[in-house]
Amino acid sequence: MDGLALAEAVAELVRIPSVNPLHTGPKAEEHGPPGEGAVAHHLAERFDRCGAVEVVLDEVLPGRPNVYGRFPGRSDQLVVLDVHTDTVAVEHMTDPPFDGRIEHGSVWGRGALDSKATMGVMLALLDAMHRDGLRPDPTLLLVGSISEEAGGLLGATRFRPWVEQQGLRIDQLLVAEPTEFRPVHGLKGLVLIEVTTRGVAAHSARPDLGVNAIDAMTPVLAAFAAEHERLQAVPGATELGSGTLSVTRISGGSGGNVIPDRCSITVGRRIVPGEDPGEVLNELAAIACAACPIPCDVVSLLPTTPDGKPASPAFYQRPDSRLVQFLARTCGTEPTVAPFGTNALRYSGLAEELVVFGPGSIEHAHQATERIDIPDLRRLADVLTSWLAPS
Ligand SMILES: [Zn+2]
């Protein structure tokens, strides 16, 4: 397919700002209200124009709908392509974020790489198929989901029960993210907690009258360090390796001459297949409480999943599955696992096969400039065409 047509299809989406409201700022808002509303409505219209038989705008939050388009196939297979519609902030960008210029063989602007490239290419392919009177082999459900970059994967969280309500059986689910054309078949999950120790404030000249909440946190930090060491000694059952634990934030104290009455830490525990997020949360609470000499609270910092868990479990798909092997073979790449979170964390068990895949590198996402190269768009168009096998 013509590279320039693909580039235009991606640029058209880059020109519609869709900064996640949790990433917004003055620079983003110069171009309209934050959020995915405008791009979702644009996609609904585009799905309709390229032959969708059903288009659904599913309002997840006020003004922030997911969008679903169904393109009927020739077989009874059902595949889903999920592309998040939000982008990260533009405040730190050194480039015009939304001009979608096509220059030096690339499309430039926020979202070009992460992840509007895949949606743009798919739309260009669907346009061409519609024009030529072709249909894909599997039925395609094309999904634009909100709130992947921040806010707890709300779009994916909403899409899952929608699929279940519709009674859909999904054969293959592809989640678009920059993976350098490598099929990603596993991701760790994340349980994120805050531990707070509660002491008693006093003048620091009379520490005997207070209870120092920072001192009380010291053995908790040591206990978590020991837990990380213990996890490293447990051999990983999959390519994802072992779980890890990191203390990522600490705060406490109110003045140089005051015995602190509280201290808080944030702890991130990356979980691997087989670990239950609820059980991990309980274990972390038990470790903190056993180590802490004074009362302490442990709370989960992530929104509860629809099935009442403090986080999603790890996602893992066998590397010898049909979709992983198809993508690796078609792209000449190796299957891999990845350390970052994506919508796939919400989709475990929703489809026969689940893979994260897309052009470009995560290492270049979220930066001061963002671009996707036209040869990558062409390569992606070839892969998606093989996947859908239109005729
Ligand atoms: Zn992304």
Side-chain angles (χ1 to χ4, degrees), residues 25 28 47 49 55 63 71 77 87 94-95 107 113 121 137 161 169 174 197 241 312 334 362 384:
F47 290 1
R49 268 194 283 141
V55 177
F71 300 85
Q77 297 278 298
T87 71
T94 50
D95 247 9
V107 183
L113 164 68
V121 167
D137 175 63
R169 231 201 82 250
L174 207 60
T197 52
S312 295
E334 288 292 319
I362 196 79
L384 294 178

Side-chain angles (χ1 to χ4, degrees), residues 147-148 151-158 160-161 186-192 240 268-281 300-316 339-350 354:
S147 192
E148 193 274 338
L153 310 177
L154 294 176
T157 303
R158 170 65 156 255
R160 184 179 187 116
L187 303 169
K188 287 180 182 174
L190 172 65
V191 173
L192 194 66
L240 285 165
R269 169 73 158 80
R270 302 281 163 175
I271 58 176
V272 295
E275 291 190 307
D276 176 79
E279 284 170 19
V280 168
L281 175 64
S300 170
L301 292 179
L302 296 177
T304 307
T305 63
D307 55 351
K309 302 270 185 191
S312 295
F315 138 65
Y316 185 75
F340 51 89
T342 77
N343 278 348
L345 289 174
R346 289 287 185 272
Y347 297 151
S348 262
L350 189 63
L354 170 62

Side-chain angles (χ1 to χ4, degrees), residues 81-169:
L81 175 63
D82 169 51
V83 188
H84 66 83
T85 49
D86 61 330
T87 71
V88 293
V90 299
E91 307 308 310
H92 60 294
M93 286 190 79
T94 50
D95 247 9
F98 308 119
D99 70 346
R101 71 186 187 286
I102 299 168
E103 197 177 81
H104 308 306
S106 304
V107 183
W108 296 79
R110 183 54 90 221
L113 164 68
D114 184 12
S115 280
K116 290 178 172 176
T118 301
M119 183 61 88
V121 167
M122 185 52 101
L123 286 174
L125 292 177
L126 289 167
D127 262 337
M129 283 161 58
H130 190 54
R131 205 177 44 234
D132 299 342
L134 303 178
R135 283 166 69 178
D137 175 63
T139 290
L140 169 69
L141 185 59
L142 184 52
V143 175
S145 50
I146 69 156
S147 192
E148 193 274 338
E149 296 291 3
L153 310 177
L154 294 176
T157 303
R158 170 65 156 255
F159 176 60
R160 184 179 187 116
W162 186 85
V163 166
E164 286 160 355
Q165 254 163 34
Q166 306 282 310
L168 300 177
R169 231 201 82 250

